Amino acid sequence: MNNKTIATHNGNFHADDVFSIAALKLIFPSLKLIRTRDFDLIAGADIVVDVGGEYEPDRDRFDHHQRGGAGARENGIPYSSFGLIWQKYGAAICGGNEDIANGVDAGLVSTIDAIDCGHVEGVMQGISLSQTISMFNPTWQEETHFDAAFDEAVEFAARVLTRFIAAASGGISAKAIVAQAIEDAEDPRVIVLEQYTPWKKTVFNLSEEALYVVYPSQTGEWRVQTVPAELGSFEDRKSLPEAWAGLSGDALQKVTGIDDAMFCHNGLFIAGAESFASTMKMASLAVEASFTI
């Protein structure tokens, strides 16, 4: 049934309880939320989140504050209430797709859990999503009610969560497309995509030979881009020819001998031409060039 009564604690809130409620609203849109620490109200709720001192997923009890916590992932990141909710309901929220649910856990849920549990190793520095959620709490100078602020935070979190689900879904679809392109490549050093698809992680993981990826731009021209030496690195397996750096239009056409060459970034990681054939020729010239980082 959709008309679940869900209890979480009242007062100051954090990203784990906010995102837990946002997630549950995606599968129980008519849920009744109670923010309380009253034991009788908590005991009568269908689902209890981040309060109550119990983790019993079969009874829909999802707290992690009890002695010993509520377990941890294989990578050592402990579960907060959001992670516990996601373990049980994540796949259902993602249309039954475990791969998408796992992708959302890796990209969003586990980071929120880590911060909430003080497991900061490997968590990026700077303003985090968890801190952003905390900013929804009223300051001491504001008269805003905590429950109203909580509702605003949940609305924001629900939007973020749906975008993470969409991104994870798109990433899985992209992986299959790029993997097929790697298999179909006439020259394993040049991977051709018929439409732009996120490719870096898949190409890096599945092809040690790939140097360049060719794909159409959103404006109709074509691009050739270097494969990074490491994911997230600004170094490439092989840069574009040094003589092309920063050139565009006539200057680039003269150097390359390609009459519709358009530009080459000064960083030698991306270049483009108007036609597919010309962009493939640029890739071929880059493959044969001697300059390599």
Side-chain angles (χ1 to χ4, degrees), residues 12-16 18 115-116 128-139 146 149 153 156:
N12 202 62
F13 50 82
H14 302 96
D16 65 327
V18 168
I115 293 172
D116 190 80
S128 68
L129 186 55
S130 293
Q131 289 172 303
T132 302
I133 291 293
S134 292
M135 295 298 291
F136 281 85
N137 281 291
T139 70
F146 274 99
F156 171 80

Side-chain angles (χ1 to χ4, degrees), residues 92-245:
I93 292 170
C94 295
N97 192 310
E98 290 280 357
D99 290 335
I100 296 175
N102 290 338
V104 175
D105 184 81
L108 173 66
V109 185
S110 63
T111 299
I112 288 175
D113 283 4
I115 293 172
D116 190 80
C117 295
H119 185 94
V120 296
E121 183 179 352
V123 177
M124 294 180 64
Q125 298 298 310
I127 300 299
S128 68
L129 186 55
S130 293
Q131 289 172 303
T132 302
I133 291 293
S134 292
M135 295 298 291
F136 281 85
N137 281 291
T139 70
W140 67 273
Q141 295 173 305
E142 296 175 320
E143 296 182 358
T144 304
H145 197 278
F146 274 99
D147 286 354
F150 184 86
D151 290 341
E152 291 180 7
V154 167
E155 184 177 349
F156 171 80
R159 182 61 177 157
V160 172
L161 179 55
T162 56
R163 295 315 302 156
F164 265 91
I165 293 170
S169 177
I172 291 169
S173 299
K175 181 178 179 180
I177 292 170
V178 175
Q180 188 63 51
I182 292 170
E183 185 175 333
D184 293 343
E186 293 184 13
D187 182 340
R189 297 171 295 181
V190 180
I191 310 303
V192 178
L193 299 174
E194 295 182 1
Q195 67 180 77
Y196 177 76
T197 310
W199 56 266
K200 287 186 180 180
K201 185 175 181 179
T202 304
V203 170
F204 181 82
N205 289 334
L206 296 186
S207 175
E208 295 181 355
E209 297 177 87
L211 300 176
Y212 306 106
V213 175
V214 173
Y215 58 85
S217 72
Q218 293 180 334
T219 53
E221 301 90 6
W222 286 77
R223 303 287 184 260
V224 54
Q225 189 168 345
T226 57
V227 176
E230 298 288 343
L231 288 177
S233 171
F234 288 101
E235 293 190 6
D236 308 308
R237 289 180 177 177
K238 186 176 184 182
S239 294
L240 295 169
E242 191 171 14
W244 300 1

